[in-house]
């Protein structure tokens, strides 16, 4: 796993652009030849991110730029559905799947906020401010809770990442950095939402008891 800090791509006043539907996102999966297991992973990541967005709206998170609740939630969901759009291409040809997927998304919908959620879904290089950067932070955390096509805790997810990608000191350093960020995001989401996000099933609106 290789990652470089990339300057934040979002200018606060940037327009939101078009918000794609689920059907459009899945059509693009096929257009860009997304592998089946990556589709399954993306569906579950979207479920987690969507739940976080809905819970945040319930807690009074303001919608930016005059978006309605439904538009904001769909923006988060679309970014999650598309976060691995470039993955199959990079498996076959190399490159950074986050950067490639974000570039394709910008070409498709012209929405810098959705593209930002894609380009930074591995690691967020700025302050973990949920009110300012909810969309990319929700996608990051959601991705860190899904191992292949199963909802798991952070420790299990990162044990898998260490096994698959932690073959050099540099890669292990980056994975540890990402794990620590995931832990902090889990704490922040739990505090903000008033719920134990680690214990949330994400397919229902009640915590596991």
């Amino acid at each position: 796993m290789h990652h470089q800090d990339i300057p934040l791509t979002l200018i606060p006043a940037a327009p939101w652009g078009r918000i794609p539907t689920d059907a459009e996102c899945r059509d693009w999966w096929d257009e860009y030849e997304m592998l089946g297991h990556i589709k399954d992973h993306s569906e579950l990541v979207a479920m987690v991110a969507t739940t976080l967005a809905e819970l945040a709206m319930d807690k009074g998170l303001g919608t930016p730029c005059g978006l309605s609740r439904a538009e904001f939630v769909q923006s988060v969901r679309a970014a999650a559905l598309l976060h691995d759009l470039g993955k199959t291409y990079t498996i076959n040809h190399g490159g950074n799947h986050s950067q490639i997927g974000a570039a394709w998304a910008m070409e498709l919908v012209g929405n810098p906020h959705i593209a930002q959620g894609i380009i930074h879904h591995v690691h967020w290089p700025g302050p973990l401010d949920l009110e300012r950067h909810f969309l990319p932070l929700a996608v990051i955390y959601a991705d860190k809770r899904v191992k292949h096509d199963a909802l798991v805790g952070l420790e299990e997810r990162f044990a898998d990442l260490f096994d698959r990608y932690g073959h050099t000191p540099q890669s292990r350093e980056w994975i540890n950095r990402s794990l620590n960020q995931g832990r902090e995001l889990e704490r922040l989401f739990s505090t903000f939402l008033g719920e134990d996000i680690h214990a949330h099933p994400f397919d229902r609106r009640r915590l596991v008891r």
Side-chain angles (χ1 to χ4, degrees):
M1 177 181 289
H2 179 67
H3 175 77
Q4 298 178 356
D5 280 344
I6 304 166
L8 298 182
T9 57
L10 171 62
I11 299 171
W16 275 75
R18 192 163 71 80
I19 302 168
T21 65
D22 287 11
E24 287 178 305
C25 292
R26 293 182 182 115
D27 284 344
W28 293 327
W29 289 354
D30 294 334
E31 181 177 342
Y32 290 93
E33 300 179 338
M34 185 182 285
L35 297 170
H37 70 281
I38 302 174
K39 293 180 181 179
D40 293 339
H41 170 81
S42 298
E43 289 281 9
L44 198 49
V45 170
M47 183 181 71
V48 174
T50 301
T51 302
L52 290 173
E54 290 174 340
L55 290 170
M57 292 291 97
D58 292 344
K59 288 294 181 179
L61 180 72
T63 57
C65 303
L67 294 182
S68 69
R69 172 185 172 124
E71 288 170 332
F72 181 70
V73 171
Q74 182 60 28
S75 298
V76 174
R77 181 172 177 80
L81 286 170
L82 296 175
H83 80 282
D84 273 348
L85 187 64
K87 189 76 167 182
T88 302
Y89 178 89
T90 59
I91 289 172
N92 293 327
H93 305 290
N96 184 306
H97 80 284
S98 301
Q99 294 180 21
I100 290 170
W104 287 346
M106 272 300 292
E107 183 177 351
L108 291 166
V109 298
N111 190 321
H113 301 260
I114 288 175
Q116 184 192 46
I118 298 169
I119 200 170
H120 291 306
H121 79 265
V122 174
H123 181 82
W124 180 250
L128 301 182
D129 186 332
L130 294 182
E131 293 193 4
R132 292 188 61 199
H133 306 300
F134 186 91
L135 185 154
L137 296 180
V139 175
I140 288 172
Y141 179 72
D143 185 46
K144 301 304 177 282
R145 288 296 306 274
V146 179
K147 174 186 171 184
H148 308 307
D149 61 352
L151 182 67
V152 298
L154 292 174
E155 304 303 324
E156 182 175 344
R157 172 74 158 115
F158 277 88
D160 177 65
L161 292 176
F162 274 111
D163 183 59
R164 288 192 289 149
Y165 300 115
H167 306 309
T168 67
Q170 184 182 33
S171 65
R172 289 191 292 272
E173 179 185 351
W174 279 111
I175 295 169
N176 265 319
R177 185 178 178 184
S178 184
L179 172 57
N180 289 334
Q181 186 171 85
R183 288 169 173 159
E184 180 63 12
L185 281 172
E186 187 165 83
R187 185 189 68 79
L188 290 172
F189 277 116
S190 294
T191 299
F192 181 79
L193 300 175
E195 299 194 5
D196 182 359
I197 294 304
H198 172 76
H200 202 291
F202 287 105
D203 58 346
R204 291 176 175 81
R205 297 302 300 274
R206 292 190 298 275
L207 292 173
V208 175
R209 300 301 182 188

